[in-house]
């Protein structure tokens, strides 16, 4: 569905991307860097209300750069000797990193739209695979699922003890607002920013993750050293959920 909002966003993106290309061609100093592609860049292009959204070299978003930076720093670890379920794998740098795993499963409800080999169709509402995964990664997925409580419990069940779910969602400062697929797409777009979003998360997303049985660490870009954050134009927040090693109730 193409809307005025999206067309305006895309136009701003193309204009600033062209400007960055011109500045690069004119020899502007490359004093910024992208942890997703490893390139030095003159700056980042605008998207929506974020003036430093995309990498002009590889297109990486702030959340894709944040994930790569955290992995590169060793703050979070990719279990290359284990199993990874990668939902909606449209971040190329993370496909590269995760596909090194011995059991890599790229998946989506609509697998055909991804140029990733061996895509599997997975409906998170009916996720099986009990105790299979060391890592579950889903960026901008949870705001699309009909019942996020059920999906979080499914993810918990699909993880091994000690396994982690790395979740990124669009956030605002207010409490989470839930919608449903019974609402007209126009209303979902108005309330949640995109026609196929069924809710808008706030910081209380954390409570929903804990309620599914996870330990939770929140890693927000605002907690990163300001010089480092500026260098890589890092933004967004990772909800790092860990399944306990053993049942605490025992
Ligand atoms: Zn890049």
């Amino acid at each position: 569905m193409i809307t005025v909002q999206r067309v305006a966003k895309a136009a701003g993106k193309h204009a600033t991307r062209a400007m960055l290309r011109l500045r690069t061609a004119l020899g502007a100093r490359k004093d910024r860097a992208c942890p997703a592609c490893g390139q030095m860049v003159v700056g980042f292009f605008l998207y929506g209300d974020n003036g430093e959204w995309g990498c002009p070299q590889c297109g990486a978003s702030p959340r894709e750069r944040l994930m790569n930076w955290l992995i590169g720093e060793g703050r979070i670890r990719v279990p290359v000797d284990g199993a990874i379920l990668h939902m909606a794998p449209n971040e190329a740098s993370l496909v590269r990193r995760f596909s090194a795993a011995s059991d890599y499963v790229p998946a989506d409800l609509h697998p055909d739209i991804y140029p990733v080999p061996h895509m599997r169709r997975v409906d998170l509402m009916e996720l099986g695979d009990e105790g299979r995964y060391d890592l579950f990664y889903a960026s901008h997925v949870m705001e699309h699922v009909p019942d996020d409580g059920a999906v979080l419990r499914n993810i918990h069940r699909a993880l091994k003890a000690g396994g982690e779910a790395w979740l990124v969602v669009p956030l605002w400062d207010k409490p989470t607002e839930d919608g449903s697929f019974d609402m007209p797409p126009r209303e979902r777009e108005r309330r949640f920013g995109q026609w196929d979003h069924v809710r808008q998360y706030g910081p209380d997303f954390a409570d929903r993750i804990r309620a599914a049985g996870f330990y939770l660490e929140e890693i927000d870009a605002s907690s990163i050293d300001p010089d480092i954050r500026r260098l890589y134009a890092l933004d967004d927040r990772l909800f790092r959920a860990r399944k306990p090693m053993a049942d605490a109730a025992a």
Side-chain angles (χ1 to χ4, degrees):
M1 182 179 289
I2 301 213
T3 62
V4 175
Q5 203 181 356
R6 263 197 201 190
V7 170
K9 267 179 146 182
K13 171 175 161 175
H14 288 303
T16 55
R17 208 168 184 173
M19 182 61 76
L20 289 172
R21 244 180 251 121
L22 181 63
R23 283 178 53 206
T24 304
L26 292 173
R29 204 157 74 90
K30 295 181 175 176
D31 58 357
R32 315 293 291 283
C34 172
C37 65
Q39 301 283 312
M40 295 298 294
V41 293
V42 299
F44 298 89
F45 63 81
L46 167 149
Y47 186 61
D49 55 8
N50 186 335
E52 297 202 312
W53 192 88
C55 168
Q57 289 297 327
C58 72
S61 65
R63 60 181 186 272
E64 183 177 350
R65 295 196 298 277
L66 177 65
M67 294 305 299
N68 277 280
W69 184 77
L70 291 170
I71 293 166
E73 288 291 297
R75 290 275 303 273
I76 55 177
R77 195 185 70 84
V78 178
V80 284
D81 47 353
I84 300 176
L85 179 53
H86 186 178
M87 295 301 298
N90 50 27
E91 296 166 316
S93 62
L94 296 177
V95 172
R96 275 199 306 277
R97 287 181 185 275
F98 296 165
S99 60
S102 49
D103 182 10
Y104 175 63
V105 182
D108 195 87
L109 186 58
H110 306 289
D112 299 342
I113 63 176
Y114 297 85
V116 177
H118 312 298
M119 280 292 297
R120 195 131 356 131
R121 185 182 181 280
V122 167
D123 181 350
L124 290 175
M125 292 292 293
E126 290 164 11
L127 177 63
D129 286 338
E130 188 167 344
R132 173 172 173 184
Y133 296 103
D134 297 277
L135 175 63
F136 174 94
Y137 178 69
S139 179
H140 286 215
V141 169
M142 294 300 295
E143 69 276 15
H144 295 266
V145 304
D147 180 346
D148 61 347
V151 167
L152 285 167
R153 289 190 295 276
N154 289 349
I155 296 167
H156 188 276
R157 191 174 53 240
L159 286 170
K160 294 176 187 166
E164 297 192 8
W166 298 345
L167 305 170
V168 182
V169 294
L171 283 172
W172 65 18
D173 295 337
K174 296 181 283 180
T176 299
E177 272 184 32
D178 287 296
S180 82
F181 284 108
D182 297 332
M183 294 162 63
R186 284 273 167 203
E187 188 186 344
R188 289 198 299 266
E189 170 154 47
R190 184 177 55 76
R191 287 185 53 194
F192 310 133
Q194 198 170 304
W195 69 274
D196 57 348
H197 289 183
V198 77
R199 69 185 60 78
Q200 171 63 53
Y201 284 110
D204 59 328
F205 181 40
D207 302 332
R208 298 187 181 196
I209 295 171
R210 288 195 196 93
F214 289 102
Y215 293 139
L216 179 65
E217 177 191 8
E218 292 177 61
I219 306 179
D220 195 282
S222 64
S223 69
I224 294 167
D225 175 87
D227 290 339
I228 298 286
R229 191 180 176 193
R230 183 181 176 280
L231 174 63
Y232 300 114
L234 302 175
D235 202 359
D236 230 310
R237 182 181 309 178
L238 168 63
F239 291 85
R240 180 191 188 188
R242 189 163 55 84
K243 180 172 178 171
M245 287 306 291
D247 254 329

